Amino acid sequence: MDHGIGPLLEFLRHSLIHVRLFPIWRVLTRTLKMPAPALLPCDQCLSRKVRCDKSLPRCRRCVDVSISCTRDIKRKRPGRKKGSGNVISKLRKVAETPDGIQRQSREDGSEDEESRNLIAPAGDARSNFWKAVVGDKQVPNELHHEEHAALPPNNSETQEFHLPSNETFQRPADVLSTIPDLSIRVDLFFAFLYSIWPIIDEVTFRAELAQPEGLNHTQVCLVLSICALSALHIPETRVSYWDQEPRQKVAQRFIKQALHIRAETGYLETADITTIQTSLLLSCAEIEVHRARSSYFLLRECIILAEELGFYEPNLPTELSQNERLSIRRTLYLLSLVERGLTLLRNKPYAIIMFDSPPPETYANEDPRVLQGLQCLNELFVLLDKRFLDTWMQATASGDPEVLSQVLATQTKLAGLTFDVDNLIDIQKADILITQQWMRLVFWQLSMRQGLLSSAAEEPALTYQYPCQIAKSLCIVLETLPMNILFIHGMAIFERMFEVIYSFIDSLILSHKLSSEVDSLSILLRVLREAPNSHKSYIQILETKLAEQTQGDTIVALLRGPYPT
């Protein structure tokens, strides 16, 4: 304490005590002795995220590095902030609305035109889309059946798609009433995506959907997952076919709503096969919106729930109907295929029980080609047995001489394997033929991991140029497939194509034949470039790889352009 102030304070203390004003003295001395405000750290130390000694005029750290030391940035005052009233105003408007739903508007009060276009129907949406996708082919007659009119009504022109309020969870039918174009999305799923995911009995599903008051939250989440896949894989008439961003926004709303309802209703405690199917479809939808971790988490959730519910047991509960048993078996079978695919594409561990073949039964009134497609796909995936996957996951070469014989035998089988494509649905045909070429690459990659490749090998499958042969076979396959069918498959099929093309480019660079294979390379790259969900990821990686090579810019320029019709 300063010597000039000390005697004065002592004099005042004795004076105030004698006049019985001691409390006043306490207040006065407390005010006089209040410490000065502490100095704040300098702006430079805050930016560098280091401790500041708060020295003046410059702190030690700023002196050491010879930079200016200032305190010009205005700090936020601690404590609660006074609101502007905007939130309260919005809440009052919501409260005044009958259903508690307030249409979101822009700051200028105008409605978001893009959001309105996402949900508003446009004339005969089904006929326009089917014409764009299947061309002159006839639309399946069953899609015009009168029973489709029994789907729950929705007023998409006047009602915006939104997350439901808490009270809506007590009324699953209310959630369905807010889904825009629900009947069209369900029709598109069964017309185009069902052959990929034939895990739901269409007749039973439509009958239950026609009576929304009897649905539970688990069934509603399944409907939302179906709508998400339809929005992602199938273009809508009110959205440009080549622009995937609006469709992704719509799908993300469906995904978010399904996950929100599941979290609020405790779906794990009441899980059944519908819960597993919902998680599987949501996992596939998350891949399309580039959320790989969330997709893998949902896939593992499917496996854990199936084991917990005893669905992997040889004998299922006797109280289940034949359709329910078939639904469980098909779901588990496709789940095993998805997991094996992730093991190869992303080196994910596998822990699932494999099946030798898909269930031989079919649903009532189901197209028999669906089962034929599953059986053809099984001829490919049965080659990815446990022994192969264990070898694939090894970090180093095993040195097992039987690996060489297994690879050569499998390559010979894959190269000569043929399918009765005339009796397959186009969607399944694309999946099977492209997967066949991808698996030839997978076994070639296994040979490379095991150190079996050689430039002088007599077997073409053991040479570094073998991916060129695979890529040319893939070009022949693509020439027989409608491009719209490929685009409906989504990221899964394009990821397999990307693996083939990447290895193809590596082989061309190694053999110095890049300029001589421009035609084959252009076909493959243009398919990826035209794909709605891959041109921003895979094509950029491949074009960057080509541009890094000699005359890469010239080659990339030659490869750019629309896909030849």
Side-chain angles (χ1 to χ4, degrees), residues 122-140 143-144 181 183-193 229-242 247 427 484-485 487-489 532:
D124 191 357
R126 266 177 287 185
S127 60
N128 292 336
F129 165 72
W130 288 325
K131 183 177 180 181
V133 174
V134 299
D136 297 331
K137 294 183 180 180
Q138 294 293 327
V139 177
L143 295 180
H144 297 292
D181 301 328
S183 59
I184 296 178
R185 298 182 190 278
V186 172
D187 288 346
L188 294 179
F189 174 83
F190 284 105
F192 296 99
L193 298 179
L229 283 182
S230 297
L232 286 167
H233 290 268
I234 307 174
E236 300 182 50
T237 56
R238 293 190 64 85
V239 182
S240 174
Y241 185 83
W242 309 113
R247 293 191 288 116
I427 300 289
N484 290 331
I485 296 301
F487 300 155
I488 289 177
H489 268 278

Side-chain angles (χ1 to χ4, degrees), residues 238 253 437 471 525 560:
R238 293 190 64 85
R253 293 176 184 174
Q437 304 306 321
L525 289 181
R560 289 182 176 174

Side-chain angles (χ1 to χ4, degrees), residues 210-222:
Q211 299 178 353
E213 296 297 336
L215 298 178
N216 55 38
H217 300 109
T218 302
Q219 293 169 313
V220 169
C221 290
L222 178 61

Side-chain angles (χ1 to χ4, degrees), residues 126 141-151 206 210:
R126 266 177 287 185
N141 294 330
E142 61 270 15
L143 295 180
H144 297 292
H145 199 274
E146 295 179 357
E147 65 182 1
H148 295 183
L151 291 170
R206 290 187 180 276

Side-chain angles (χ1 to χ4, degrees), residues 30-46:
R30 188 182 298 115
T31 303
L32 293 175
K33 293 182 180 180
M34 185 176 296
L39 289 175
L40 295 173
C42 69
D43 302 335
Q44 288 70 23
C45 289
L46 283 177

Side-chain angles (χ1 to χ4, degrees), residues 385-442:
D385 54 12
K386 185 177 184 302
R387 179 181 177 183
F388 169 82
L389 295 178
D390 289 340
T391 306
W392 179 270
M393 295 299 293
Q394 291 177 359
T396 58
S398 62
D400 188 352
E402 295 185 1
V403 174
L404 176 60
S405 59
Q406 179 189 9
V407 168
L408 291 177
T410 305
Q411 290 286 20
T412 303
K413 181 176 181 179
L414 285 172
L417 194 60
T418 58
F419 301 97
D420 186 9
V421 294
D422 294 334
N423 292 325
L424 293 176
I425 301 174
D426 284 343
I427 300 289
Q428 291 179 314
K429 176 182 175 181
D431 189 14
I432 293 168
L433 295 181
I434 293 179
T435 300
Q436 179 184 8
Q437 304 306 321
W438 169 67
M439 282 198 175
R440 294 175 66 189
L441 179 72
V442 166

